Amino acid sequence: MRKKIIAGNWKMNINHLEAEKLLEDLVKCDIKDNHEVIVFPPFTSIPAALKVALNSEIRVGAQNISQYENGAYTGEISSDMLLTLGVKDVIVGHSERREIFKEDNEIVRDKAKKALEDGFHVILCLGENQEIRDRSKEEDFVKNQLINSLKNIDIRGKNIILAYEPIWAIGTGKTCSGEDAEKMCFFIRKTIKELYGEDEASLIRILYGGSVKAENISDLMARDNIDGVLVGGASLKSESFKKLINYEV
Ligand code: 13P
């Protein structure tokens, strides 16, 4: 049985003092059996978050990672720096990295490859924008993104998690319906089966992200092909994040 994930992507929010406070509240929550909770603070808040999360079930990950080992890459953070802190989870290919910071599939692939080789659990994000959705081309687009973001990487036996995050549903309050999210996650699983076989398709976890909140998490979590959620806005406040952790099954 695939373990469910509730992940909070804090994006460029929550300084280290705020992270400490938020985590102090979250570690008091009972995490359901067969569930994992991971938070992704900005880099500078990671040490404070790790300190509070130590000895709790909550894991602390990073929102980005360099594809390079070390050297003259101003502003970048390496896999060694994260591993030395004790971070084992990373997000790659978030739509904000792709759109705002112009990371194309090739860069995302290099980051995913490096992180997987170094033993991280990698959450690879995929998802179409409104214009593609309006043309009903979301399946073609996401399939292409998936193939090219994983080109020449054999994910079998690796710790990779996929996150379907339609851009039009991120931070807009416009949630993809449970039915639509399930349809896309099913499609992604089907594509994994074509590319990597039945075993990988049945093992791989696929998350949904985009305006997830207390009102829609139960519906999403109950779907066959949705193994968890990647949450932005609703993970920034202890009250709303706790409601997600304690969602009604
Ligand atoms: P929101 O939950 O704020 O829509 O953000 C989703 C997201 O981008 C998580 O990575």
Side-chain angles (χ1 to χ4, degrees):
M1 196 177 165
R2 299 187 295 264
K3 255 188 160 182
K4 299 256 188 207
I5 296 176
I6 299 170
N9 174 11
W10 294 351
K11 308 189 179 185
M12 198 174 73
N13 299 292
I14 308 195
N15 66 33
H16 76 281
L17 301 173
E18 294 161 338
E20 214 171 285
K21 280 212 186 79
L22 179 48
L23 252 309
E24 272 164 10
D25 255 4
L26 297 180
V27 294
K28 291 181 200 140
C29 288
D30 277 331
I31 295 173
K32 291 183 174 55
D33 284 348
N34 213 37
H35 281 64
E36 295 174 13
V37 175
I38 320 171
V39 295
F40 293 88
F43 289 123
T44 50
S45 299
I46 290 177
L50 279 167
K51 202 171 79 192
V52 184
L54 191 78
N55 301 324
S56 83
E57 283 181 71
I58 298 183
R59 295 210 304 274
V60 177
Q63 298 170 19
N64 188 17
I65 188 168
S66 173
Q67 65 273 48
Y68 303 112
E69 187 66 33
N70 62 343
Y73 301 103
T74 302
E76 292 292 282
I77 297 291
S78 75
S79 114
D80 170 65
M81 292 165 189
L82 294 171
L83 289 172
T84 308
L85 275 182
V87 169
K88 298 205 177 65
D89 298 85
V90 283
I91 297 174
V92 300
H94 191 279
S95 62
E96 286 146 21
R97 300 292 325 164
R98 292 177 185 266
E99 300 270 301
I100 306 168
F101 300 101
K102 308 294 172 216
E103 288 186 9
D104 58 15
N105 284 328
E106 205 173 315
I107 295 175
V108 172
R109 192 267 322 269
D110 290 348
K111 290 185 175 205
K113 190 164 185 284
K114 173 82 177 121
L116 288 170
E117 278 169 5
D118 290 348
F120 284 91
H121 301 208
V122 175
I123 298 185
L124 169 68
C125 302
L126 310 160
E128 80 287 354
N129 64 21
Q130 184 73 63
E131 188 260 327
I132 294 165
R133 173 63 64 158
D134 289 344
R135 288 191 287 118
S136 304
K137 291 285 176 207
E138 62 274 11
E139 292 192 347
D140 291 348
F141 180 85
V142 167
K143 185 172 185 171
N144 177 64
Q145 239 185 358
L146 181 62
I147 290 173
N148 288 302
S149 302
L150 291 176
K151 205 171 189 168
N152 299 326
I153 305 178
D154 189 353
I155 62 167
R156 282 169 285 206
K158 299 263 174 42
N159 279 313
I160 186 148
I161 294 155
L162 303 175
Y164 171 62
E165 296 207 307
I167 296 173
W168 49 269
I170 295 179
T172 58
K174 243 199 223 178
T175 331
C176 186
S177 70
E179 205 174 351
D180 268 356
E182 164 65 14
K183 193 166 160 248
M184 283 305 287
C185 291
F186 170 76
F187 172 76
I188 292 168
R189 199 177 297 286
K190 194 171 100 200
T191 307
I192 290 291
K193 186 174 163 189
E194 284 163 24
L195 298 171
Y196 299 98
E198 178 108 46
D199 287 353
E200 186 59 34
S202 65
L203 285 172
I204 198 161
R205 289 181 288 175
I206 305 175
L207 315 182
Y208 166 78
S211 298
V212 174
K213 42 191 179 279
E215 293 74 31
N216 59 16
I217 187 171
S218 296
D219 177 30
L220 292 161
M221 285 298 218
R223 304 276 167 173
D224 288 348
N225 287 287
I226 300 178
D227 304 307
V229 287
L230 182 53
V231 188
S235 73
L236 299 178
K237 292 257 158 52
S238 136
E239 204 185 305
S240 49
F241 202 169
K242 282 199 285 198
K243 280 189 191 157
L244 299 179
I245 296 175
N246 298 323
Y247 79 94
E248 259 177 62
V249 179

